[in-house]
Amino acid sequence: MTQEWTSSRPRVDASGKVLGRALYAADQKIAGVLHGMTAPATIAKGRIESIDLTAARNVPGVVSVFTYEDFSQIKTTPAARGAYGQPGKGYQPMTSPVVRHRGEPVALVVAETLEAAIEGAEAVKVRYAEEAFSAAMEDDRATREPEPERQLSSGDAEAAFAAADHRIDVEYLHPQQHHNPIELISTTAAFEDGELRIYEGTQAASAFAGGLASMMGLEPTRLRGVSPYTGGGFGQKNGIQEQSVLVASAAALLGRPVKLVMPRGQLFHTASYRPRSRHRVRLGADGQGRLLAGLYETVQQNSRYDGFSCDHGANPPRMYGYGAWRGNDRIVRVDTQTPGHQRAPHEHPSSYATECALDELAEAVGMDPVELRLANDTQNDPITGKPFSSRYLAECLRRGAELFDWSRRMREPGALVAENGDRIGLGVACGSYKGSMTAAVTTLRLLASGRCEIATSGHEMGQGIRSVIAAELIDILGIDPEKLDIRIGDTGHAPQHITAGSWGTGSVAPAARSAALKLREELSRLTGGPLSQEPVHVQLARTRRPFLEVAVDTIPLGKDGQVIEQLRRGIPSTTGPEYPDFMSFSWIAHFAEVRVEASTGRVRVRRVVSVADCGRVMNRRTAESQVRGGVIWGIGAALREAGETDPRFGGVLNNDLAEYVVPVNADIGAIEVDFIDQPDFKLNVSGVKGLGEVAMVGATAAVVNAVYNATGRRVRHLPIRIEDLL
């Protein structure tokens, strides 16, 4: 029963979402709520000289208009709005007359209706003193950091490269990209039961609440972060947004609840994004295709004022058995908002560059790309020398090649032609993503009526984390999922860790399982013997107790009890991929088939096969959905998505879904997904590793490599456009 449930049962919140019962942050019914709207800056850099609010205040229904003069008391630090405990997003607009990027809020209009708030925001008149700015990292005014931010090395890579029989020296360019989650970023602030409650779709309710309290000068216990569901996070919602503290402060000043939903066009300029990056890859191999050296240098765009890390070089040296490696990552500063994490933040761009370069190396050596990867498989990390907790990448490649029928690939580009004349290309690429965990606090209560309640750390972002929790409780306790109440994403129920970086399942599954095991142990003690096959609540009822409750603090591998206190204070405390005795990663292999029209150069991705090693698969349905979603993101990155920055004014030109092109149903062919499904109990008691991030890593490279196999064109920038192939 348990295996059938975990592998085939629909997610526990599926019907609620379909029927509209799953209420997101902006859906909360709050009496007397006011509506807010921001007026964005129309310059890229400078100062506000004056603001005329007369017309805005005269709009019927407008209650108040706020400017930097009203919010100068907001306290900011270099990491005030940051994520993962790293510096970043420290700048907070509307605390001074300074304007540091186009589109940042310069006024907040609060009104009785949304329409009045919008009209009022459009009526705000601002006079600026403009300054010269840089819009992209290639600009003359862009500033390159003098020292690398990250460096990794093992052996003498330069000497090994010089001595190699086959050498590749190439540069790949990755564009700026934007998240565009379906649930727009929003903030609702309301005083309820003596506390300020902030409803916001977030991946980090505790850090969010604690950070806001600090910025507003409040005791952390007076502010409660609530994120019942998050309709797409992907890294964009893991920190405090530009409008969050403005809305909370406005509610405090007015004594009334305030809600603001940021328009999509403004989010292109206020929310984080995937920054533009450039990647130089040098690979050396001997005559048999054995990798002797890898040299990898990256440059990433960043804002002037904050520090989003550049970490492209962390994953590539772990992919294969390199004889020697040297890599460094540098930052270039420009006048935009701070970039941030976007699904597989550095791993996706780095896999695009290095896996495409590996395809070029296979061509130079004269080897099949799959065979080249298999020939360089390793069970130890080339950088630290530690073994991997588990690594089935070779099995992913072999199984994927069989499912995909890789043997039909022709080495000569363009040799495989469809009946209608389309050129057929087949490509392969691999990916990895760190295996991480974080602390969790869990309370589990079983009632004699059969109801079961669990409050734990974690956020539901569409990935099915509620189904993961349910699966562990059913496995250990056999409870009825229809009588299960799962409370997550709310600091009023439990401290909330940041749910990101693919550590959501790896953290919440062991927490739920540990709590279930402890409750089972306590129930056995109450009954005076081993539990029978009867439902656990029936056995509890015989003890004449209305309920049984247990609390468990889950401490991840390599950490101590201090992480629980950090969690309660909203301080991130993740572990991985390096642990005392091993390194841990999830692995994936993607195979892509493209069809390229000979006359127009139009590319269609006909089929993708992806095989993942993510440890134990908690729920086959949600896992397959994760991989399909990641592959679609990869297709979009390869053929569609790019933020186009206007060099004259510093704004994103295509700041809507009409012109920021993402894949639609017509762009997507068959996506077949399979799993190795080997539990990794070295990592945690549930045997799970991450899946949501690794699903995208390598997918773009597989498509790009397939396009080369179809056309003979090596396109080293994204997205590949029709003009690149004509």
Side-chain angles (χ1 to χ4, degrees), residues 106-400:
V106 294
L108 171 64
V109 178
V110 179
E112 296 288 353
T113 65
L114 176 59
E115 293 77 10
I118 293 172
E119 185 179 348
E122 292 173 346
V124 172
K125 306 298 181 185
V126 185
R127 187 161 58 88
Y128 302 96
E130 296 189 55
E131 299 176 18
F133 67 92
S134 59
M137 65 184 190
E138 291 82 5
D139 293 352
D140 292 339
R141 293 188 181 88
T143 305
R144 183 179 175 123
E145 292 288 324
E147 296 296 327
E149 187 177 58
R150 297 283 188 276
Q151 296 186 79
L152 280 178
S153 63
S154 176
D156 190 342
E158 286 282 4
F161 179 76
D165 296 318
H166 301 281
R167 294 188 294 271
I168 292 293
D169 186 345
V170 291
E171 188 173 81
Y172 281 84
L173 178 66
H174 196 287
Q176 177 174 317
Q177 294 176 336
H178 296 263
H179 301 69
N180 285 301
I182 295 301
E183 181 204 21
L184 294 171
I185 286 173
S186 71
T187 305
T188 303
F191 283 96
E192 300 175 5
D193 301 326
E195 62 186 4
L196 179 59
R197 294 190 185 181
I198 309 294
Y199 298 90
E200 183 166 318
T202 179
Q203 299 170 236
S206 283
F208 168 80
L212 271 187
S214 176
M215 293 172 76
M216 297 175 67
L218 298 175
E219 287 294 324
T221 54
R222 290 196 58 204
L223 199 149
R224 178 174 172 179
V226 183
S227 179
Y229 286 88
T230 304
F234 312 113
Q236 190 178 62
K237 297 176 181 176
N238 60 17
I240 299 173
Q241 305 296 331
E242 287 196 355
Q243 84 288 337
S244 302
V245 72
L246 305 179
V247 173
S249 298
L253 290 169
L254 295 173
R256 289 185 62 181
V258 178
K259 175 169 74 173
L260 185 152
V261 180
M262 291 292 282
R264 193 171 296 278
Q266 290 193 35
L267 288 177
F268 275 77
H269 301 104
T270 60
S272 61
Y273 61 95
R274 192 192 304 279
R276 185 175 174 88
S277 58
R278 190 177 296 275
H279 308 252
R280 184 188 180 191
V281 187
R282 288 179 284 168
L283 301 177
D286 64 17
Q288 288 72 49
R290 186 167 58 93
L291 288 167
L292 302 177
L295 295 108
Y296 184 38
E297 302 166 52
T298 75
V299 178
Q300 173 187 289
Q301 181 172 299
N302 208 334
S303 68
R304 293 282 185 191
Y305 47 84
D306 280 335
F308 174 61
S309 65
C310 183
D311 207 14
H312 296 288
N315 264 33
R318 276 69 192 249
M319 285 299 303
Y320 307 104
Y322 287 96
W325 180 271
R326 194 193 73 196
N328 63 69
D329 301 308
R330 292 179 183 269
I331 280 176
V332 175
R333 297 196 175 275
V334 298
D335 298 298
T336 68
Q337 81 269 30
T338 301
H341 300 87
Q342 182 169 337
R343 193 174 193 172
H346 297 102
E347 294 79 5
H348 154 67
S350 66
S351 71
Y352 154 63
T354 57
E355 289 289 312
C356 287
L358 205 67
D359 205 64
E360 297 198 43
L361 181 64
E363 186 78 11
V365 176
M367 286 184 72
D368 178 88
V370 171
E371 292 304 318
L372 180 72
R373 288 168 170 82
L374 288 173
N376 289 282
D377 189 34
T378 179
Q379 291 298 317
N380 290 82
D381 172 30
I383 300 298
T384 65
K386 292 183 177 183
F388 295 114
S389 60
S390 62
R391 175 181 163 112
Y392 296 96
L393 180 57
E395 287 78 357
C396 291
L397 279 164
R398 293 190 182 99
R399 187 178 299 181

Side-chain angles (χ1 to χ4, degrees), residues 639-715:
L639 304 174
R640 297 288 184 269
E641 294 183 52
E644 305 289 353
T645 301
D646 189 333
R648 303 165 301 168
F649 306 112
V652 180
L653 289 165
N654 54 335
N655 63 331
D656 55 48
L657 285 179
E659 295 185 78
Y660 184 87
V661 185
V662 297
V664 297
N665 283 350
D667 298 314
I668 306 302
I671 301 175
E672 300 169 42
V673 180
D674 202 2
F675 302 97
I676 302 301
D677 200 8
Q678 286 290 331
D680 189 341
F681 293 118
K682 289 183 181 179
L683 193 60
N684 56 60
V685 69
S686 295
V688 299
K689 299 192 288 188
L691 180 61
E693 306 268 16
V694 78
M696 184 181 182
V697 186
T700 292
V703 174
V704 173
N705 291 338
V707 169
Y708 168 76
N709 184 242
T711 65
R713 299 281 184 92
R714 287 285 183 192
V715 182

Side-chain angles (χ1 to χ4, degrees), residues 550-592:
V550 296
V552 175
D553 294 343
T554 309
I555 299 173
L557 193 65
K559 294 285 187 177
D560 56 30
Q562 184 181 356
V563 296
I564 299 299
E565 179 58 27
Q566 290 177 318
L567 175 65
R568 294 186 186 280
R569 293 163 54 200
I571 300 174
S573 56
T574 58
T575 63
E578 184 172 358
Y579 296 91
D581 299 322
F582 55 78
M583 303 289 290
S584 183
F585 290 87
S586 292
W587 313 91
I588 198 165
H590 300 282
F591 294 80

